[in-house]
Amino acid sequence: MEEGGLGLSHTMYMRLGEAVSLDASITVTLAAHQAIGLKGIILVGTEEQKARYLPKLASGEHIAAFCLTEPGSVCGGSDAASIQTRATLSEDKKHYILNGCKVQITNGGLASVFTVFARTEVADSDGTVNDKITAFIVERDFGGITNGIPEDKLGIRGSNTCEVHFENTKVPVENVLGEVGGGFKLAMNILDSGRFSMGSMVAAMIKKLIELTAEYACTRKQFNRKLSEFGLIQEKFALMAQKAYVMESMAYVTAGMLDQPGLPDCSIEAAMVKVFSSEGAWQCVSEALQILGGSGYTKDYPYERMLRDTGTLLLFDGTNEILRLFIALTGLQHAGCILTARMNELKRGNVAVVMETVGRRLQDSLGQTVDLGLTGDLGLVHPSLGDSATKLEQNVYFFGRTVEALLLRFGKSIVEEQLVLKRVASVLINMYGMAAVLSRASRAIRIGLRDHDYEVLLANMFCVEAYFQNLFSLSQLHKNAPENLDKQTKKIAQQIREKRAYICAHPLDRMS
């Protein structure tokens, strides 16, 4: 608030984001400015930098852009370490000379202030000089900055996206953002802060979509019956409501954690919100088009635009494939530290650890009852959600056992097992969603929110579906599991890579 802003918490920022979410182009323009464009100044800017730039950025007099992605990296949020833009310190050590090209920059043609990431030479403590990424605050008025024509995009066509070129742009050393060489970590922190809000914004869009499609289905008739009376249409409404409820719950739980003192690290949670919400949005809009039929496919209505716009979400702030690897590997890193300590104790013959390990194996073989304290008299979850809470506890327990087995089986080479990591991440995302809806629905009951019985219904429905999805994914992670088709998948992919074409003969071919 000192620099002219509203001083919103993460929670209130998301609530405000819901108000603009119905137009994806406006949402993206504001998010590129607020969530990532100027975020670095808020996070690590000096008091002088904040005083110089934030007031006009807060008022909208100046627009900000986040310049990370480059031609050699299709998605900058996925491969930020690959950038080639270079900043060279001038002989008088008063400026950095910036040269390079950034692509797919939202607000690139509108911005007055850019957060730019570039390679710089950094001397380490032992005297060796290495290239490291540094962040800079760059004003368009510094000169040497040009931008290309706006890109003709599939979706979010109302937003400005273009290339930005820097040619011998002189950036004062005072405009280094954070530490010299600390740009990569800052870029990741900025992207993390932009991901968590996607859940609430997408949920608001889906709620509006439910209203529009419900009105259509309740008035449109086929076979002398309203569309809304058919079971397959009702299934689509239930799916959209469930997805909106889950992603909204995950987003606001994450925002609540981010609002806690001490700037907690919620990078995994933010990534999980982004993956679940973007994929849920794509699925929901696709289902809505099935309800609307031909009307959904014409430009006379907003639905085809919604479909094109939601496709963008799968790529923003790092592709979902990369984020799944990040979610899994970050979680496994923590688990690996715990397992390493346990293995060291076993090797030293610690009797207590040996007996505990043998006991757990015996309990697993006998199908033990799992109780992590979510239910019962002192439980955190309302009794009407007890079965779902038990399902979450079971998933958590067997996920832990599966992760332990994976680390023992693969060791450090697990970083190369992307199909394994994808399943690990999918289970984690589902469990986070389960925890979020159980917390939200329990609160709704206890404070007497209207229609809380429907919240219980949606929460239980999601938890049952997620539970069985998780069981199947966990079964696929067992060694030599018949459900696991990874070898076949890799074999097919290898043939396509070699021939760069579809492999099989045409069904009408008679001879090879």
Side-chain angles (χ1 to χ4, degrees):
M1 292 180 68
E2 299 153 351
E3 311 298 344
L6 297 176
L8 298 179
S9 63
H10 291 87
T11 300
M12 291 310 299
Y13 169 70
M14 284 207 316
R15 188 72 179 92
L16 185 62
E18 293 179 32
V20 299
S21 63
L22 299 185
D23 189 303
S25 294
I26 294 176
T27 303
V28 166
T29 300
L30 291 175
H33 169 73
Q34 176 77 29
I36 58 176
L38 60 83
K39 189 69 174 184
I41 302 175
I42 294 175
L43 291 177
V44 299
T46 64
E47 292 305 315
E48 292 77 12
Q49 290 170 343
K50 291 177 181 179
R52 177 179 176 84
Y53 293 108
L54 289 182
K56 289 185 177 181
L57 289 169
S59 69
E61 185 176 347
H62 284 172
I63 301 297
F66 182 78
C67 295
L68 179 65
T69 308
E70 297 196 356
S73 171
V74 177
C75 293
S78 301
D79 189 14
S82 68
I83 66 174
Q84 297 301 313
T85 296
R86 179 163 293 278
T88 305
L89 189 62
S90 61
E91 292 184 4
D92 61 8
K93 298 188 180 344
K94 292 183 178 181
H95 294 85
Y96 280 90
I97 309 303
L98 185 64
N99 284 281
C101 173
K102 302 291 184 177
V103 299
Q104 300 172 1
I105 305 303
T106 304
N107 297 346
L110 309 175
S112 305
V113 178
F114 304 87
T115 298
V116 183
F117 296 85
R119 290 195 172 277
T120 55
E121 290 186 348
V122 179
D124 291 334
S125 56
D126 60 0
T128 59
V129 177
N130 295 299
D131 271 359
K132 293 186 179 180
I133 297 171
T134 300
F136 298 90
I137 305 171
V138 182
E139 299 178 30
R140 188 179 289 274
D141 290 343
F142 288 167
I145 301 175
T146 57
N147 51 266
I149 61 173
E151 294 178 6
D152 190 12
K153 305 186 296 292
L154 173 67
I156 53 170
R157 295 175 64 83
S159 64
N160 178 274
T161 309
C162 65
E163 294 184 2
V164 180
H165 300 267
F166 302 93
E167 185 175 356
N168 294 325
T169 302
K170 295 178 67 175
V171 183
V173 293
E174 294 81 13
N175 279 44
V176 169
L177 189 55
E179 297 179 357
V180 174
F184 180 78
K185 182 178 180 181
L186 176 60
M188 294 302 97
N189 288 339
I190 292 171
L191 290 173
D192 288 340
S193 71
R195 289 171 183 145
F196 80 96
S197 60
M198 188 178 290
S200 64
M201 294 180 182
V202 169
M205 182 270 291
I206 294 175
K207 290 177 189 178
K208 184 63 177 180
L209 191 63
I210 291 173
E211 292 178 16
L212 295 171
T213 51
E215 178 65 27
Y216 179 86
C218 290
T219 54
R220 172 78 170 175
K221 284 190 175 183
Q222 291 283 1
F223 310 107
N224 293 320
R225 295 173 63 186
K226 294 177 180 178
L227 280 182
S228 59
E229 297 175 10
F230 291 98
L232 292 179
I233 301 299
Q234 294 169 3
E235 180 186 43
K236 296 181 189 303
F237 285 130
L239 180 140
M240 288 192 282
Q242 181 202 102
K243 293 290 184 185
Y245 186 75
V246 178
M247 65 181 68
E248 191 175 51
S249 302
M250 294 171 71
Y252 275 101
V253 165
T254 306
M257 290 191 288
L258 287 167
D259 284 335
Q260 296 302 308
L263 297 175
D265 180 5
C266 297
S267 54
I268 297 181
E269 292 84 353
M272 290 192 285
V273 171
K274 191 271 181 182
V275 172
F276 186 91
S277 302
S278 58
E279 293 178 355
W282 180 254
Q283 186 179 3
C284 287
V285 178
S286 299
E287 295 287 8
L289 259 66
Q290 291 300 112
I291 297 173
L292 296 158
S295 298
Y297 207 67
T298 66
K299 290 196 173 184
D300 294 332
Y301 300 95
Y303 312 111
E304 61 85 27
R305 174 177 58 80
M306 288 182 173
L307 184 69
R308 289 186 287 104
D309 289 345
T310 52
T312 312
L313 302 178
L314 302 170
L315 306 174
F316 265 3
D317 295 340
T319 65
N320 285 4
E321 288 76 16
I322 291 295
L323 289 180
R324 274 194 162 87
L325 299 182
F326 166 73
I327 292 164
L329 288 172
T330 305
L332 289 172
Q333 184 180 29
H334 174 70
C337 293
I338 297 174
L339 183 59
T340 299
R342 179 177 292 277
M343 291 302 297
N344 289 336
E345 292 295 328
L346 287 172
K347 289 175 182 177
R348 285 197 291 266
N350 187 312
V351 176
V353 174
V354 171
M355 293 303 296
E356 179 189 351
T357 303
V358 172
R360 284 189 317 181
R361 293 284 181 264
L362 181 61
Q363 288 174 337
D364 288 351
S365 66
L366 296 175
Q368 80 154 28
T369 300
V370 181
D371 182 7
L372 301 181
L374 294 181
T375 57
D377 294 338
L378 300 178
L380 302 173
V381 176
H382 192 272
S384 61
L385 298 154
D387 287 345
S388 292
T390 299
K391 285 180 167 58
L392 173 58
E393 289 177 324
Q394 291 174 350
N395 274 170
V396 169
Y397 181 81
F398 289 111
F399 176 74
R401 302 283 73 77
T402 302
V403 165
E404 183 177 325
L406 289 174
L407 290 172
L408 292 172
R409 178 171 145 206
F410 291 108
K412 292 181 179 179
S413 69
I414 198 168
V415 299
E416 301 298 333
E417 299 293 331
Q418 293 194 355
L419 299 181
V420 170
L421 296 172
K422 175 186 175 182
R423 295 188 185 96
V424 170
S426 294
V427 174
L428 279 169
I429 293 167
N430 270 344
M431 291 194 300
Y432 188 49
M434 293 168 77
V437 297
L438 289 172
S439 173
R440 178 181 176 183
S442 294
R443 171 184 176 273
I445 298 169
R446 289 185 169 121
I447 67 174
L449 286 182
R450 61 179 176 82
D451 296 326
H452 61 253
D453 50 333
Y454 286 100
E455 294 199 36
V456 172
L457 196 61
L458 288 168
N460 282 329
M461 182 179 175
F462 173 73
C463 287
V464 170
E465 290 182 2
Y467 172 74
F468 286 107
Q469 289 172 6
N470 289 343
L471 288 184
F472 182 68
S473 294
L474 292 171
S475 70
Q476 288 181 303
L477 290 171
H478 294 161
K479 190 174 183 180
N480 300 321
E483 302 94 334
N484 188 306
L485 301 176
D486 288 356
K487 288 183 180 179
Q488 295 89 324
T489 299
K490 292 178 180 178
K491 189 173 182 179
I492 293 169
Q494 180 63 28
Q495 287 295 309
I496 293 174
R497 288 170 57 198
E498 291 175 359
K499 298 184 178 181
R500 305 205 176 178
Y502 177 68
I503 308 162
C504 303
H506 191 277
L508 298 181
D509 287 352
R510 292 179 179 272
M511 299 178 64
S512 53

